Amino acid sequence: MEDSFKKIISHCKEYGFVFQSSEIYDGLAAVYDYGQNGVMLKNHLRQYWWKSMVQLHQNIVGIDSAIFMHPKTWKASGHIDGFNDPLIDNKDSKKRYRADVLIEDYIENKIEKKIQKEIEKAKKRFGQNFDLEEFLRTNPNVLRNQEKKKAINEKLKNGLETNDLQIVRQLIIDLEIACPISGTKNWTEVKQFNLMYSTQMNATESDEALYLRPETAQGIFLNYLNVQKTGRMKLPFGIAQTGKAFRNEIIARQFIMRMKEFEQMEMQFFVKPGEQKEWFEYWKKTRLNWHTNLGTPKDKYRFHEHTKLAHYADAAVDIEYQFPFGFKEVEGIHSRTDFDLSQHQSHSGKKIQYFDSISEKSQVPYVIETSIGLDRLFLLTISENLKTETLPNREQRNVLCLPPALAPNQLAILPLLKKDGMPEMGKKIFDELKFEFNCYFEDKDSIGKRYRRQDAIGTPYCITIDHESIEQETVTLRDRDTLHQERISISELKSRLTDKLSLAKLLEKLE
Ligand code: ATP
């Protein structure tokens, strides 16, 4: 697993997808840049999301709000007081950890694994007669471990919710959790650490702190009235936005999984109070379908229900994907109640309500949010589609089997030789197709090497120009996945490729 993750990271660098930020100055921790191929894949993923929300729904519109917002925004939203991570240091290794993650890892590695072992043993013992549900309900070892898990989770929740961090620390001591680096249990106190970056508007000492937004959602809440009025929107309706968010993640790890500057794609769906459960279920289903529409098998995803809810939520679920390092969150679906709009209403003094003609009452709308990290989606896409294959000639190739509409280069135009009119013909084809598709042109190196490079980038089709092309106006079209090569006439290229490379076709499958 470690190795396959390392391979993904080095592939991203080698083929111009992701670079460490400021690499020539030895890099900046947890900050990354997207290269020539990465930016294309990222743009295509963003478009797939944006169109699925804004273009496919007549009641969802988009905005692009500023990163800077009035400082009161973050007081009202609860981020100044509550957007914290509980951190603890090991005094010997001097390493810092998220206290809640240490406890969650203990549950996963110590208790969950024991339960899984019992299940595997029983499966072998009972064979075909094995009934998982009954086993989980009756086996004393499983029951004991589940009780233990429940008790730990309850204590953790209690400690975090009441902000009694002594409870959290005591849990770490009682469970005898040791630092993975030093191996000791020599822990400091647990301290809350706010994740927002602060700066100033006018660089004067007395200036009120301004924050870099830690989520794009608040820009949507602040524009609720503007959009509702100017767009004459009626409930239920949604506002979507993509953009940068910033969090001072102390324990940044796992490449672009946890960054200090990242991109979110969020949609707030405003509904009448009382309808939130129904819409929560609707968006859970819709979003999972959006993921699997990209070809990723269903069993690579799971829903993770939150036990400890954020201060604004009455229900929350994560969509987790099985990364090489385990199941981890890519998207959150949150039922945020009327918390945010009510808070902004009382802090700003502006009425944020709609008039319900049936009950004849004015009310603050409820919100269902879908929030996905574009960078995590990017990592998911590379993890899922990067494969090493042995070809019929026993050569190995790294191939990125991306959905064709998302690939950085959709077509590679490759003159076989750099003479006899082939490059000129290649350029002519490039100029004809470039308006429709992302084309790449290359006439250097052996054709085998060029195919390998395009496979590694994920180019779904290569168009090769040879002597016959000059004589007969035909080219070979090579399919990345089947390796099948077909000779077709140049005039047919556009019509043959349009559907295969079209984002619209991918979107149609969602309906
Ligand atoms: P985590 O528990 O992993 O810290 P979160 O629950 O704080 O994530 P949300 O606040 O729900 O995340 O943000 C929505 C989405 O934004 C996440 O599902 C994730 O895809 C993305 N995201 C959050 N923090 C980061 C980060 N530091 N780097 C990259 N993506 C992030």
Side-chain angles (χ1 to χ4, degrees):
M1 286 306 174
E2 279 269 293
D3 283 352
S4 82
F5 189 44
K6 277 192 192 140
K7 195 177 140 192
I8 289 165
I9 299 174
S10 62
H11 191 92
C12 280
K13 175 159 190 216
E14 192 178 344
Y15 290 98
F17 284 95
V18 181
F19 306 123
Q20 174 87 64
S21 159
S22 326
E23 200 186 272
I24 60 167
Y25 292 109
D26 297 330
L28 187 62
V31 186
Y32 292 89
D33 297 337
Y34 286 82
Q36 67 279 15
N37 290 316
V39 71
M40 297 302 287
L41 175 56
K42 197 177 173 201
N43 286 346
H44 292 159
L45 286 165
R46 193 192 295 107
Q47 267 174 18
Y48 173 57
W49 183 87
W50 182 265
K51 292 194 171 204
S52 75
M53 288 293 179
V54 177
Q55 193 170 316
L56 301 195
H57 292 91
Q58 51 89 24
N59 61 347
I60 299 181
V61 293
I63 61 161
D64 182 19
S65 71
I67 287 172
F68 287 140
M69 281 184 262
H70 195 285
K72 279 189 187 161
T73 309
W74 307 110
K75 185 69 190 162
S77 68
H79 282 81
I80 289 180
D81 298 321
F83 195 52
N84 302 318
D85 273 350
L87 300 179
I88 189 166
D89 293 5
N90 181 270
K91 290 183 194 162
D92 300 317
S93 68
K94 310 268 184 276
K95 285 278 168 205
R96 180 161 283 186
Y97 299 89
R98 254 174 75 175
D100 54 336
V101 171
L102 279 180
I103 294 166
E104 281 162 8
D105 284 352
Y106 174 91
I107 293 176
E108 188 71 29
N109 297 330
K110 294 272 157 59
I111 306 182
E112 274 298 333
K113 277 208 178 127
K114 268 189 199 154
I115 297 176
Q116 281 311 318
K117 258 194 193 155
E118 291 289 344
I119 295 173
E120 291 310 315
K121 255 184 10 203
K123 263 190 193 161
K124 275 195 195 138
R125 189 151 30 104
F126 295 112
Q128 291 218 320
N129 297 329
F130 180 64
D131 178 341
L132 179 63
E133 262 178 35
E134 174 159 0
F135 182 75
L136 292 179
R137 220 178 31 244
T138 53
N139 180 279
N141 288 342
V142 169
L143 289 176
R144 203 180 44 252
N145 278 307
Q146 267 164 352
E147 275 307 310
K148 197 169 163 194
K149 192 170 120 181
K150 198 168 141 211
I152 296 172
N153 269 328
E154 263 166 22
K155 265 195 194 153
L156 176 62
K157 188 170 169 221
N158 179 22
L160 293 175
E161 279 180 1
T162 58
N163 207 16
D164 186 345
L165 299 177
Q166 197 46 43
I167 298 182
V168 181
R169 182 173 190 270
Q170 198 55 47
L171 205 49
I172 291 175
I173 309 280
D174 293 347
L175 296 172
E176 301 188 355
I177 295 174
C179 164
I181 309 281
S182 67
T184 69
K185 298 163 201 152
N186 195 5
W187 297 108
T188 61
E189 294 302 307
V190 179
K191 282 201 187 117
Q192 289 289 17
F193 184 88
N194 195 288
L195 293 169
M196 285 197 294
Y197 282 106
S198 66
T199 179
Q200 283 165 322
M201 194 105 219
N202 297 314
T204 54
E205 290 276 324
S206 59
D207 221 17
E208 203 174 352
L210 207 64
Y211 295 96
L212 297 184
R213 65 180 179 198
E215 61 175 29
T216 58
Q218 297 303 325
I220 294 180
F221 294 125
L222 263 52
N223 278 294
Y224 171 85
L225 283 178
N226 285 334
V227 175
Q228 191 275 322
K229 283 191 181 140
T230 58
R232 304 183 332 121
M233 310 301 286
K234 294 225 160 14
L235 295 179
F237 75 92
I239 305 179
Q241 133 151 285
T242 71
K244 286 278 172 104
F246 303 83
R247 291 183 190 179
N248 195 356
E249 304 273 6
I250 295 296
I251 303 122
R253 288 183 288 203
Q254 291 163 330
F255 192 39
I256 55 174
M257 191 67 200
R258 191 170 293 286
M259 301 153 90
K260 296 188 181 231
E261 174 182 340
F262 58 101
E263 190 166 337
Q264 287 187 316
M265 306 195 286
E266 298 196 296
M267 195 278 299
Q268 316 296 132
F269 199 71
F270 300 97
V271 303
K272 290 185 182 170
E275 292 180 359
Q276 69 272 23
K277 276 209 169 66
E278 190 187 317
W279 284 110
F280 182 68
E281 290 308 318
Y282 169 85
W283 282 109
K284 256 174 84 176
K285 208 167 120 216
T286 305
R287 293 305 302 148
L288 185 62
N289 182 40
W290 181 91
H291 282 275
T292 53
N293 191 48
L294 289 176
T296 311
K298 260 208 172 101
D299 63 1
K300 289 292 221 38
Y301 292 100
R302 72 178 187 197
F303 283 123
H304 170 79
E305 308 274 344
H306 285 206
T307 42
K308 49 178 202 290
L309 290 171
H311 57 277
Y312 50 74
D314 75 353
V317 73
D318 293 337
I319 297 181
E320 294 185 338
Y321 167 78
Q322 191 174 23
F323 285 96
F325 40 84
F327 274 99
K328 290 279 176 291
E329 169 181 349
V330 263
E331 173 154 3
I333 300 163
H334 310 125
S335 178
R336 288 178 85 129
T337 68
D338 60 354
F339 176 83
D340 301 86
L341 290 182
S342 296
Q343 285 289 102
H344 290 308
Q345 177 172 264
S346 67
H347 281 73
S348 69
K350 307 266 171 1
K351 192 172 162 194
I352 310 180
Q353 295 182 358
Y354 74 99
F355 181 73
D356 187 69
S357 52
I358 298 173
S359 64
E360 298 199 331
K361 271 197 297 194
S362 287
Q363 278 182 292
V364 179
Y366 268 45
V367 175
I368 305 298
E369 156 182 270
T370 74
S371 172
I372 177 167
L374 180 51
D375 311 274
R376 286 195 193 171
L377 175 66
F378 185 101
L379 185 58
L380 178 165
T381 309
I382 302 270
S383 309
E384 184 56 33
N385 293 296
L386 182 61
K387 303 194 168 110
T388 302
E389 289 178 357
T390 307
L391 298 172
N393 67 1
R394 297 187 172 233
E395 212 183 302
Q396 287 236 318
R397 69 162 181 170
N398 286 325
V399 56
L400 205 52
C401 300
L402 297 171
L406 303 185
N409 305 330
Q410 296 183 300
L411 296 174
I413 298 165
L414 311 173
L416 192 61
L417 302 172
K418 221 175 165 173
K419 58 179 186 183
D420 300 338
M422 291 180 215
E424 290 74 14
M425 180 173 250
K427 282 183 185 141
K428 199 169 143 251
I429 297 176
F430 182 97
D431 283 337
E432 274 166 23
L433 297 179
K434 70 183 179 189
F435 299 102
E436 197 92 16
F437 311 111
N438 296 302
C439 299
Y440 176 83
F441 177 91
E442 190 174 47
D443 58 5
K444 293 184 289 287
D445 286 340
S446 77
I447 193 71
K449 265 196 192 152
R450 281 184 272 164
Y451 284 155
R452 278 312 75 77
R453 267 203 299 272
Q454 294 307 314
D455 287 344
I457 296 165
T459 311
Y461 296 101
C462 290
I463 293 171
T464 313
I465 296 134
D466 55 14
H467 282 110
E468 221 176 306
S469 309
I470 310 289
E471 287 153 19
Q472 300 182 353
E473 292 270 315
T474 59
V475 288
T476 55
L477 186 65
R478 173 186 179 271
D479 184 304
R480 177 195 65 200
D481 302 335
T482 62
L483 299 173
H484 179 69
Q485 297 199 19
E486 184 187 0
R487 188 161 278 281
I488 68 165
S489 105
I490 294 173
S491 60
E492 249 184 88
L493 274 172
K494 202 164 161 181
S495 60
R496 281 284 299 275
L497 291 168
T498 301
D499 277 6
K500 291 189 158 79
L501 298 175
S502 136
L503 181 60
K505 288 279 159 205
L506 191 63
L507 291 165
E508 266 176 32
K509 286 204 294 162
L510 283 171
E511 294 286 294

